[in-house]
Amino acid sequence: MTSALRSALGSRLLILDGAMGTMLQAADLSLDDFDGLEGCNEILNVTRPDVISEIHDRYLAAGADLIETNTFGANLSALGEYNIAERAVELAGAATRLARRAADAASTPDRPRFVVGSVGPGTKLPTLGHIAFAAIRDVYQQTIEAMIDEGADAVQIETCQDLLQAKAAVIGAHRAAAARGVDLPVMVDITVETTGTMLLGSETGAALTVLEPLGIDAIGMNCATGPAEMAEHLRTLSGAARVPVTCMPNAGLPVITGEGARYPLGPEDLTEALTDYAQRFGLSVVGGCCGTTPEHIAMVSAALAGRPVAPRHPVHVDAVASLYSEVPLSQDTAYLAIGERTNANGSKAFREAMLAENWDECIDIAKTQTRDGAHLLDLCVDYVGRDGTADMATLAARMSTAVTLPVVLDSTEPQVLRTGLEHLAGRCIINSVNFEDGDGPESRYQRVMPLVREHGAGVVALTIDEEGQARTREWKVRVASRLIDDLVGRWGMEVGDILVDCLTFPIATGQQETRRDGVETIEAIRELKSRYPGVRTTLGVSNISFGLNPAARIVLNSVFLHEAVEAGLDSAIVHAAKILPIDRIPEEQRDVALDLVWDRRGTDAPAPRGVEGYDPLTRFLELFEGVTAASMKAEREAELAAMPLLERLKQRIIDGNAKGLIEDLDEALTIKGALDIVNEDLLAGMQVVGELFGSGRMQLPFVLQSAEVMKTAVAHLEPHMEKTDAGGKGTLVLATVKGDVHDIGKNLVDIIVSNNGYSVVNLGIKQPVQAIIRAAEEHHADAIGMSGLLVKSTMVMRDNLLELNREGLARNYPVMLGGAALTRSYVEHDLNDLFEGEVRYARDAFEGLRLMDSVMAVKHGVPGSSLPEIRARRVPARPRAGSVGGAEAATSGGSGKSGGADPAQPDVRSDVARPTPAG
Ligand code: THG
């Protein structure tokens, strides 16, 4: 039966009550009242039920639709502090009885009042190993069962600081509801500190990514701050959450006084903020946290109770998350790279570190993968003779905090997978399920899927059935369809959370029957993607090249991956640093590898190779005979050395090759100025890098290598640059926006603009809009520059401009935007239309400088001066290839995996369609 509260939730605005804790502090209770347990508010449910009931009555009289039970600390660790953990169930039951009685007394047929069980975080953080996940989950379940038994209508899991704790509470609540056979709405509130993240560093987007797939009924924020500091995070939730959004701020940021904390916001201020947010963010439930009183709630209720919920249009992005950040499953210009090295079977170094229990070394391998450009990490501890659950417990717990990437849990053992899920705070993917031993009650499939569902994980589904590993495209597609239908139909998975693995087999074994395995896999992917566009695919790419020497493996893996991506592959388990951009592979090696992958033998192969008796495997082995990674590098060095000096400098940037760079720069300085070298040669290289990146032909790690060389080069040249004059021409505040860590482009702008006489305040990466605004105000900035490389950053930039509008600052600060995912048209039309000031696109650092010059000319009233005219043509927005979230950002080419021209805008200027490597 659907609960009455569920029907109300999301249709009309519901008012939740205000603080309990700060009300109790004001109630002048004695140590006797607390039964000697000073500060243990839950004990009051049995010692002073009158006090608790009176607070409920006052909030109900003030107009609260929902009142919360006095159970914030009725959990394992909080009661454990008083050595009364065993009373959790009793106290939760008593508290719910009091709230139920009060709510029933105040209910009328047209205004029912509801009881919400308060579920607090406890005093220990499971992610830091203070307390075990399963232990808190089970006590949460027991207390919530008691709440249900005493008539709670819903629970609110609040003040969440640790996502692993939040998961334990949600799972405990779901188990309680299932055990009691009731429909229990579960609402979750995260607490975001003034730092802009949850206590352990989780971004709001990560929290949403982790919590929503658990099957919660509302998500929101409470505690830590007043409403003002919550705005940015509520915008994130409101923009993406598919469940109702809630908001319970404190009565402002507490001011510490002689008599303790004082909360500065009065009822009017709180009501004003919540009224604004209810409209802007489509809130479904509002109420108050610390420092709010019945007076606050009375005014909020008078203003808002019963209003329809303002419409929202959330844009969901399929994603997974680490403790810290979310990672979309669709990468903008790339495949999603899953690092293969944290695998006891797949890496000797990892295996030896694990066997020696050298955990720091294991984590170092994980971190190296992060630097190499992996988006997720595949973690496999399976090793004969080891206790897999113990190894997984140790490694998953360490990786949860020490690594910023989400984890793919790779094991054949359900118990090992469960252990991983219970130690990782983020949202994981389970690798893998299949029909190898069927799908009966005892099958591994049926033992793993409940774990996947309960923890809201994604899943890799292998094309293996009772007959074995599928070898032909028909077989692969048939098994994949069966898996997808079952995962969606029987298990309730969302299609976008399924990654089908069509399986990679070694093709260079020399055996005839393996020759077509690559083709079959690629064609199966193509077929699958056309039948199920929403389903994603993955592959363990390195399997293809087993048996070859390391240099040959790099080439074959890279070529096979490239072909699979062209056919629609979304993600791959790889050693990211060893995947070469296709343009960097010597031509014959690449072409023979292609023949091998596509099984083109004899005259089937294109000229000049396609002759009678041609065997790409034989030729491939010949090509790599005696070839090592080092010898390939030496060959490339020789090619570089043969180039003219300035050409070579440009090529060094493109290749990300700093060997001999300094000598080349010194020589170049004898023929031209330092700034000209940067401007004409080095930036030209970065331009090419940007184009390759934008068209999906070069992946991020290589872009970062190029940026590193650029940085080294500029650092060497900087002392030789003449500063036009030292600062004083004007001030630019620069930042990489929230959620983005890429600062290559921004740092180039810094160098160029500051070397031309401007003061630059470079705030660094991941900057929330409030930090940008504060810096602009503090430094009396003349302009603001924001950059970011990710598609999601284009949305953040838009939100930031809206925030400048809202604060009435748009006209004070002209804004320049740069970054690979941006286009001139998006910035100068879409964004300029909604921004109340002026915003321009800076394609590269020099355009940034020109913009700064014109900003200052306008400011100084130079006759005839103005900001550069809008240059881009207006083009209609269209969804970006492979991305769900960044639809509006996508107004230009260079986005899809295949790159190339964009038929939607045949007449766009060439410089508009070319993304820069900014960010
Ligand atoms: N599909 C899915 N999961 C998978 C695979 C897959 N997980 C495991 C594997 N296959 C993918 N991971 C690897 C990891 C390493 C290697 C290959 C695949 C590898 N390792 C070197 C070797 O064995 O020669 C080790 C070299 C070293 O010790 O450093 O090639 O297909 N879903």
Side-chain angles (χ1 to χ4, degrees):
M1 196 193 80
T2 318
S3 79
L5 175 53
R6 189 186 297 284
S7 337
L9 191 64
S11 60
R12 66 188 158 90
L13 197 46
L14 296 170
I15 311 299
L16 188 77
D17 61 8
M20 174 63 77
T22 42
M23 291 288 284
L24 290 173
Q25 274 163 30
D28 246 344
L29 295 162
S30 71
L31 192 55
D32 272 355
D33 292 330
F34 284 102
D35 219 3
L37 304 171
E38 193 180 348
C40 180
N41 290 345
E42 289 66 36
I43 209 76
L44 299 169
N45 293 316
V46 292
T47 57
R48 291 297 305 272
D50 56 313
V51 175
I52 305 299
S53 296
E54 194 203 320
I55 294 174
H56 287 324
D57 291 342
R58 288 178 61 194
Y59 278 123
L60 288 161
D65 298 294
L66 282 63
I67 55 169
E68 278 197 69
T69 57
N70 177 37
T71 50
F72 186 76
N75 53 58
L76 182 60
S77 60
L79 292 182
E81 306 282 342
Y82 298 98
N83 293 317
I84 55 165
E86 74 287 351
R87 295 183 68 181
V89 166
E90 169 210 345
L91 296 173
T96 310
R97 237 178 346 262
L98 297 176
R100 182 77 265 164
R101 211 179 298 144
D104 286 346
S107 289
T108 59
D110 42 316
R111 184 134 191 229
R113 311 294 184 108
F114 299 100
V115 172
V116 177
S118 163
V119 178
T123 53
K124 299 201 159 114
L125 301 167
T127 288
L128 299 187
H130 297 162
I131 197 161
F133 175 90
I136 59 173
R137 176 198 61 206
D138 292 346
V139 175
Y140 280 130
Q141 179 184 342
Q142 291 158 18
T143 52
I144 294 167
E145 284 175 4
M147 292 172 181
I148 295 169
D149 293 344
E150 296 298 341
D153 298 296
V155 289
Q156 167 131 309
I157 295 165
E158 55 187 345
T159 322
C160 294
Q161 299 163 313
D162 176 348
L163 290 174
L164 194 55
Q165 173 272 328
K167 280 199 279 187
V170 173
I171 291 173
H174 285 155
R175 289 186 175 191
R180 291 299 190 261
V182 296
D183 173 30
L184 182 79
V186 176
M187 306 188 277
V188 186
D189 278 338
I190 59 166
T191 294
V192 178
E193 307 291 331
T194 49
T195 54
T197 67
M198 292 166 71
L199 186 66
L200 295 185
S202 311
E203 292 166 4
T204 308
L208 179 64
T209 299
V210 169
L211 297 171
E212 200 181 44
L214 295 172
I216 60 174
D217 301 284
I219 191 163
M221 304 181 63
N222 80 314
C223 210
T225 70
E229 296 77 11
M230 288 183 173
E232 204 171 336
H233 310 293
L234 286 170
R235 196 199 308 279
T236 302
L237 294 178
S238 176
R242 291 173 293 180
V243 294
V245 177
T246 66
C247 177
M248 265 65 71
N250 289 347
L253 276 177
V255 184
I256 307 303
T257 68
E259 297 96 72
R262 202 179 63 77
Y263 289 89
L265 281 199
E268 296 81 6
D269 296 332
L270 183 72
T271 304
E272 190 186 323
L274 288 177
T275 305
D276 176 25
Y277 292 0
Q279 188 58 39
R280 268 206 281 159
F281 304 130
L283 299 179
S284 292
V285 180
V286 295
C289 199
C290 303
T292 57
T293 63
E295 291 70 47
H296 288 86
I297 297 306
M299 193 170 275
V300 170
S301 179
L304 296 175
R307 278 209 203 174
V309 169
R312 290 192 296 130
H313 305 285
V315 178
H316 171 78
V317 177
D318 296 324
V320 289
S322 67
L323 169 63
Y324 305 106
S325 305
E326 77 276 25
V327 173
L329 291 175
S330 288
Q331 291 292 313
D332 312 335
T333 59
Y335 65 98
L336 181 86
I338 305 172
E340 71 178 22
R341 311 295 292 160
T342 39
N343 182 333
N345 295 307
S347 156
K348 189 157 168 266
F350 188 81
R351 174 169 61 246
E352 286 177 351
M354 189 182 91
L355 294 178
E357 307 200 346
N358 183 350
W359 308 119
D360 289 344
E361 176 63 24
C362 292
I363 295 301
D364 275 349
I365 292 173
K367 286 185 173 166
T368 304
Q369 296 269 281
T370 310
R371 278 195 295 279
D372 285 348
H375 301 111
L376 314 178
L377 297 180
D378 189 67
L379 175 62
C380 175
V381 302
D382 291 354
Y383 194 72
V384 186
R386 292 284 299 179
D387 177 355
T389 48
D391 286 335
M392 181 55 95
T394 306
L395 277 168
R398 283 179 178 250
M399 279 177 71
S400 186
T401 57
V403 177
T404 55
L405 302 185
V407 173
V408 176
L409 293 165
D410 186 346
S411 176
T412 53
E413 291 302 316
Q415 275 311 325
V416 173
L417 295 171
R418 173 195 299 280
T419 304
L421 290 168
E422 292 184 355
H423 285 84
L424 283 153
R427 182 183 196 216
C428 299
I429 293 174
I430 293 298
N431 183 10
S432 53
V433 295
N434 63 63
F435 289 140
E436 188 171 11
D437 59 351
D439 55 355
E442 294 300 310
S443 64
R444 226 154 34 76
Y445 182 73
Q446 286 235 13
R447 290 195 290 147
V448 172
M449 279 315 297
L451 294 171
V452 171
R453 294 303 292 141
E454 185 168 59
H455 288 265
V459 71
V460 174
L462 304 184
T463 51
I464 303 177
D465 65 9
E466 294 85 344
E467 312 301 313
Q469 309 193 343
R471 296 293 285 265
T472 62
R473 70 191 76 175
E474 294 79 15
W475 188 2
K476 288 171 197 269
V477 172
R478 189 171 70 241
V479 183
S481 302
R482 181 178 159 203
L483 279 161
I484 295 163
D485 291 347
D486 197 73
L487 289 169
V488 173
R490 180 151 59 133
W491 294 96
M493 291 289 298
E494 292 200 34
V495 162
D497 290 333
I498 300 170
L499 285 85
V500 174
D501 184 338
C502 288
L503 303 179
T504 320
F505 297 94
I507 56 168
T509 63
Q511 286 166 303
Q512 285 312 308
E513 66 272 21
T514 66
R515 290 262 185 160
R516 288 197 60 78
D517 278 337
V519 184
E520 296 297 316
T521 297
I522 292 172
E523 292 308 334
I525 292 168
R526 200 188 314 278
E527 169 79 21
L528 198 62
K529 290 297 287 185
S530 79
R531 280 208 211 167
Y532 298 92
V535 160
R536 293 190 168 77
T537 49
T538 193
L539 282 181
V541 163
S542 304
N543 303 357
I544 191 115
S545 62
F546 276 136
L548 295 172
N549 78 25
R553 290 195 71 177
I554 290 176
V555 169
L556 182 56
N557 292 350
S558 303
V559 168
F560 176 61
L561 175 61
H562 181 266
E563 297 303 292
V565 168
E566 293 277 306
L569 182 73
D570 301 281
S571 75
I573 307 172
V574 289
H575 187 176
K578 299 219 166 149
I579 296 297
L580 289 177
I582 205 83
D583 304 74
R584 269 201 216 167
I585 299 174
E587 201 173 305
E588 189 179 9
Q589 293 179 4
R590 186 194 61 208
D591 290 344
V592 176
L594 282 168
D595 291 339
L596 192 54
V597 166
W598 291 106
D599 190 29
R600 296 189 292 235
R601 282 175 270 174
T603 50
D604 285 348
R609 302 177 306 287
V611 294
E612 208 56 57
Y614 166 68
D615 182 344
L617 179 55
T618 314
R619 181 71 193 130
F620 199 65
L621 293 172
E622 272 168 23
L623 277 176
F624 283 95
E625 202 168 305
V627 173
T628 61
S631 71
M632 278 180 76
K633 222 170 171 176
E635 206 168 301
R636 183 71 187 151
E637 292 293 341
E639 273 173 45
L640 262 183
M643 288 179 179
L645 175 66
L646 296 177
E647 187 68 15
R648 179 159 73 236
L649 273 173
K650 174 179 167 189
Q651 195 62 43
R652 284 190 181 287
I653 301 290
I654 300 170
D655 283 5
N657 180 344
K659 210 172 139 219
L661 172 74
I662 301 298
E663 292 79 355
D664 283 357
L665 287 172
D666 287 339
E667 197 184 333
L669 279 170
T670 63
I671 51 175
K672 65 199 278 191
L675 204 55
D676 288 341
I677 298 173
V678 175
N679 185 356
E680 289 159 20
D681 306 301
L682 302 180
L683 275 179
M686 280 311 275
Q687 198 70 42
V688 174
V689 172
E691 283 157 24
L692 290 171
F693 176 72
S695 62
R697 296 177 78 86
M698 185 188 272
Q699 300 314 321
L700 198 55
F702 295 93
V703 178
L704 298 180
Q705 276 172 15
S706 295
E708 207 47 49
V709 176
M710 183 76 190
K711 215 158 104 185
T712 309
V714 170
H716 186 72
L717 293 175
E718 230 180 336
H720 302 276
M721 291 183 198
E722 286 168 40
K723 298 215 176 195
T724 322
D725 51 81
K729 269 170 71 175
T731 300
L732 173 67
V733 163
L734 271 184
T736 299
V737 298
K738 187 179 85 169
D740 202 325
V741 297
H742 301 290
D743 57 358
I744 312 162
K746 175 189 62 94
N747 291 340
L748 289 175
V749 174
D750 182 355
I751 290 161
I752 300 299
V753 172
S754 58
N755 276 295
N756 280 279
Y758 292 99
S759 307
V760 174
V761 181
N762 188 339
L763 299 176
I765 60 173
K766 288 173 121 176
Q767 291 297 311
V769 64
Q770 284 307 327
I772 299 172
I773 291 175
R774 237 179 294 131
E777 297 278 279
E778 193 178 311
H779 296 276
H780 307 288
D782 298 293
I784 292 175
M786 296 191 278
S787 87
L789 177 142
L790 308 174
V791 166
K792 70 174 179 179
S793 297
T794 62
M795 294 288 105
V796 176
M797 288 175 191
R798 192 185 74 148
D799 288 347
N800 291 357
L801 293 175
L802 291 173
E803 195 59 26
L804 281 164
N805 280 351
R806 219 180 55 79
E807 299 211 2
L809 295 172
R811 285 176 218 288
N812 300 12
Y813 303 110
V815 176
M816 59 177 87
L817 301 178
L822 285 172
T823 63
R824 188 175 297 280
S825 170
Y826 174 66
V827 174
E828 300 191 344
H829 291 300
D830 303 53
L831 295 184
N832 207 39
D833 284 353
L834 59 85
F835 188 48
E836 288 162 10
E838 294 284 351
V839 56
R840 290 292 186 281
Y841 176 63
R843 187 179 77 136
D844 58 26
F846 288 94
E847 189 165 2
L849 174 61
R850 286 194 298 278
L851 280 169
M852 210 50 210
D853 288 341
S854 57
V855 164
M856 295 318 294
V858 171
K859 206 156 188 171
H860 294 142
V862 174
S865 63
S866 68
L867 286 191
E869 278 188 38
I870 302 291
R871 288 209 274 146
R873 283 164 182 267
R874 204 171 273 277
V875 289
R878 67 162 172 84
R880 199 182 180 91
S883 105
V884 198
E888 284 135 286
T891 47
S892 136
S895 59
K897 285 170 178 166
S898 49
D902 180 353
Q905 43 164 352
D907 56 357
V908 177
R909 305 164 59 121
S910 67
D911 67 333
V912 178
R914 284 208 314 232
T916 57

